[in-house]
Amino acid sequence: MTSATDSPLPAVTRLIATDLDGTLLRDDKTLSDRTVAALAAAEEAGIDVFFVTGRPARWMEVVSPHVQVHGMAICANGAAVVDLHDGRLLGVHPLDRAIALDVVAVLREAAPGVSFAVELATGIHYEPAYPPFHMDPGATVAVAEKLLHEEAPGAGTPVLKVLAHHPELAPDAFLALARGLAGDRASFTRSSPTALLEISGLGVSKARTLAACCAERGITPDEVVAFGDMPNDVEMLSWAGASFAMGNAHPAALAAASGVTLTNDEDGVAVVIERILAAR
């Protein structure tokens, strides 16, 4: 692996794909002035910038002003493509409710103490024991089996992902357990420092949806530079022609990337964008 200053870059960079938390955003969840300037300069140079995140669309306010003409973001780890100009869903790759119920049952048996939240295209709903962070005041509180039932609030609305939290298991151990038990039925990843799994439809990932968006624009993987820091970025970092794990990245992200840049608090994404623009 090479550094931000000497890692090979594409001969032509047409698209920058960047994760948000732990990557583009500082630890205080803000964008630095340097990063804002780098994003604007990339767009002015004709390079598309795609935000590719595990966040739902409703948590994109921090970067919404910085999408330019295309207005697009890939949210929920690839389960949704959103127009941030008007909030419209442009594409959805849902998790089947019956499969979600099966996965919930498997994890309840294998990991006593687990609690769940259900992320719909319209908002989040969660169990009473689920950790109370970033909660939507309009959320329904009920067991996951009820939330996923066809007659539950939001029935018929696509399930973007199910979140599974465990208060005691080590994060990577919980991920390995879930993948071993149900990895043939759904996609499991994580982006939180806690034991919080993100469960999507089988095969859904940031990379798969990004690849489809790029194909629609005639952009090939070797024209893409990607940035990330956690296991949910691994496929995207592997897919892109050039990719950078942050200096603060999880070992899996570091192993998947072709280079490493500075940490998110040190404007690691901006450092590489500035290098891309200087080489044009």
Side-chain angles (χ1 to χ4, degrees):
M1 182 177 294
T2 52
S3 73
T5 57
D6 60 13
S7 182
L9 294 172
V12 176
T13 299
R14 295 182 59 194
L15 187 141
I16 291 167
T18 180
D19 172 53
L20 297 183
D21 296 284
T23 300
L24 192 71
L25 302 180
R26 291 182 167 183
D27 285 345
D28 64 3
K29 306 302 181 184
T30 65
L31 287 172
S32 71
D33 291 342
R34 181 180 184 182
T35 294
V36 169
L39 295 175
E43 294 275 9
E44 289 170 7
I47 301 172
D48 282 340
V49 177
F50 274 31
F51 302 123
V52 189
T53 178
R55 288 186 175 211
R58 67 183 182 282
W59 291 353
M60 297 294 287
E61 294 90 345
V62 66
V63 293
S64 293
H66 306 291
V67 292
Q68 303 299 320
V69 176
H70 65 81
M72 286 177 47
I74 296 171
C75 296
N77 291 327
V81 180
V82 182
D83 186 334
L84 294 184
H85 291 322
D86 57 19
R88 285 183 303 122
L89 278 177
L90 303 177
V92 179
H93 303 287
L95 172 62
D96 180 81
R97 287 174 184 258
I99 292 175
L101 284 166
D102 287 344
V103 170
V104 165
V106 167
L107 292 182
R108 282 207 198 281
E109 180 178 357
V114 66
S115 60
F116 296 94
V118 178
E119 181 71 55
L120 302 179
T122 52
I124 193 168
H125 305 283
Y126 52 93
E127 295 189 323
Y130 190 76
F133 65 95
H134 289 302
M135 289 308 163
D136 186 329
T140 298
V141 180
V143 296
E145 288 82 354
K146 181 177 180 180
L147 296 174
L148 289 165
H149 193 275
E150 290 297 339
E151 295 179 359
T157 302
V159 177
L160 299 184
K161 61 182 177 178
V162 170
L163 300 159
H165 177 266
H166 201 281
E168 297 174 357
L169 291 176
D172 286 333
F174 191 26
L175 178 58
L177 174 68
R179 285 175 170 172
L181 292 171
D184 60 340
R185 282 172 273 182
S187 294
F188 295 83
T189 191
R190 74 177 192 88
S191 59
S192 169
T194 64
L196 179 63
L197 303 186
E198 300 169 57
I199 307 163
S200 306
L202 188 63
V204 174
S205 69
K206 291 182 176 186
R208 174 181 158 184
T209 303
L210 176 61
C213 291
C214 287
E216 290 172 358
R217 290 159 175 75
I219 297 173
T220 59
D222 62 336
E223 296 172 316
V224 177
V225 179
F227 299 88
D229 73 306
M230 287 296 281
N232 65 329
D233 297 311
V234 164
E235 293 91 347
M236 179 174 73
L237 294 172
S238 298
W239 175 83
S243 60
F244 292 85
M246 309 307 292
N248 50 286
H250 184 280
L254 289 166
S258 58
V260 62
T261 185
L262 300 180
T263 70
N264 60 318
D265 273 343
E266 296 171 315
D267 299 323
V269 173
V271 168
V272 178
I273 292 177
E274 290 164 358
R275 181 179 163 220
I276 291 170
L277 297 176
R280 290 174 72 87

